[in-house]
Amino acid sequence: KFDDAIVRLKLALKEAPQNAQVHYLLAIAYANTGKFSDAKSEYQEVLKHCQDSRLKTLAQGGLSKIQNKN
């Protein structure tokens, strides 16, 4: 269901483009479908927009896990 989640999360971002939690969930969905470049971009958006240090830490962990994947 990750492909469905990607569609819905992208719609949510149209309403709230700076929502770090939505970017984070989208990054996870992309990573689980093998779209690592897209996942990396979304994790970076989390780091850019996030005020929550816990979510930033999770995003940094996600980035490190996909760092060497295309």
Side-chain angles (χ1 to χ4, degrees):
K1 302 266 180 179
F2 287 111
D3 289 323
D4 291 337
I6 289 169
V7 171
R8 291 172 190 262
L9 291 165
K10 288 170 85 174
L11 287 172
L13 282 177
K14 286 184 180 183
E15 297 294 319
Q18 295 183 356
N19 187 317
Q21 290 177 325
V22 177
H23 282 290
Y24 178 73
L25 294 173
L26 187 54
I28 291 171
Y30 278 139
N32 279 285
T33 57
K35 298 175 183 169
F36 300 112
S37 176
D38 292 327
K40 180 179 178 182
S41 295
E42 293 303 324
Y43 281 131
Q44 290 170 335
E45 286 296 310
V46 173
L47 297 174
K48 179 178 172 184
H49 298 294
C50 188
Q51 302 299 320
D52 178 352
S53 62
R54 183 174 173 270
L55 189 56
K56 279 186 174 185
T57 299
L58 291 170
Q60 289 167 335
L63 268 174
S64 68
K65 287 180 183 177
I66 64 168
Q67 198 70 353
N68 296 324
K69 299 184 180 191
N70 296 324

